[in-house]
Amino acid sequence: MSGTGAVAFFAAAFVLTHLLMSHPLRTPLASRLGPRGFSAAYSAVALATFVPMVLARRNAGPEAPLWALGEWAWGTAFILMWLGSILFVGSFRRNPAMLPIGAGEVRIGEPAGVLLLTRHPMMWSFVLWAAAHLLVHAEPSAAVIAVAVLVLALAGSLGQDGKKEGQLGDAWKRWEAQTSFVPFGRGLRWPGAFAVIGGTILFVVATW
């Protein structure tokens, strides 16, 4: 199997196992393994597919780029990576998608921070990061990984909407009515100082 073929194989396994364990297999596995056991199994499967994918990419050898977009691509990638970092950091505050679902009614507050931009800020951070890498790393194996991350993030966002609607019912429907799936779908909004400052720090550290 070629280097790119190995990357594609493990990338497909990474995406499929993530989607299966996040949605159709989540409830039966969690009921059998328990919350901690499921989290451990989820992490183990993720590492078992992600690490070989990265190693296959490193061992792919020299590759001719699929496209060359010029210097402007680096400037665009810079902006996309920075915006993605802001969304990622901001996703850890007041995000109902991360609420544990327990007994009783779960109350969801008004959208704030990056949730004013999109109700899936973490997933869209991965989409923006993947798009940035596609612009400046056009080697076939690198492009495969970027596309895999992009597809997983978008499919995961759609699946999360369906899962949360089933768990939270009308509360999630009211939340969806106040938010946007696509970033900036409701116009430009201030994402908050926490997200901007934290995201900028993350971006600087990650790209240093």
Side-chain angles (χ1 to χ4, degrees):
M1 184 181 295
S2 67
T4 304
V7 172
F9 173 81
F10 287 112
F14 179 71
V15 172
L16 289 175
T17 53
H18 254 68
L19 293 177
L20 287 172
M21 296 187 73
S22 296
H23 302 290
L25 297 181
R26 185 182 186 90
T27 299
L29 287 177
S31 62
R32 176 181 288 255
L33 302 175
R36 291 186 178 180
F38 174 78
S39 295
Y42 191 96
S43 298
V45 172
L47 287 174
T49 53
F50 182 79
V51 172
M53 177 178 68
V54 173
L55 293 177
R57 157 65 179 153
R58 294 182 64 180
N59 296 328
E63 297 178 296
L66 298 172
W67 53 78
L69 300 179
E71 291 297 323
W72 67 268
W74 285 95
T76 303
F78 179 96
I79 295 172
L80 292 177
M81 291 295 293
W82 179 54
L83 290 176
S85 299
I86 291 173
L87 291 177
F88 181 80
V89 171
S91 70
F92 289 96
R93 296 192 76 182
R94 300 178 63 182
N95 188 348
M98 296 184 176
L99 287 176
I101 306 303
E105 181 181 358
V106 176
R107 295 186 178 182
I108 302 176
E110 296 293 320
V114 295
L115 297 167
L116 292 171
L117 305 179
T118 171
R119 63 177 171 272
H120 296 292
M122 182 178 289
M123 294 300 190
W124 277 100
S125 72
F126 297 148
V127 171
L128 294 179
W129 288 340
H133 281 75
L134 282 171
L135 286 174
V136 297
H137 286 290
E139 302 87 358
S141 59
V144 166
I145 294 177
V147 169
V149 171
L150 191 152
V151 169
L152 178 58
L154 290 177
S157 297
L158 292 170
Q160 188 178 88
D161 276 346
K163 180 172 63 178
K164 289 299 179 182
E165 184 175 325
Q167 292 173 329
L168 299 175
D170 291 338
W172 187 259
K173 291 181 180 179
R174 288 192 296 270
W175 172 262
E176 285 184 316
Q178 300 175 76
T179 62
S180 171
F181 182 87
V182 179
F184 307 109
R186 290 177 173 266
L188 293 175
R189 305 288 183 90
W190 172 243
F194 173 81
V196 173
I197 295 173
T200 301
I201 292 174
L202 172 64
F203 171 75
V204 171
V205 170
T207 56
W208 183 255

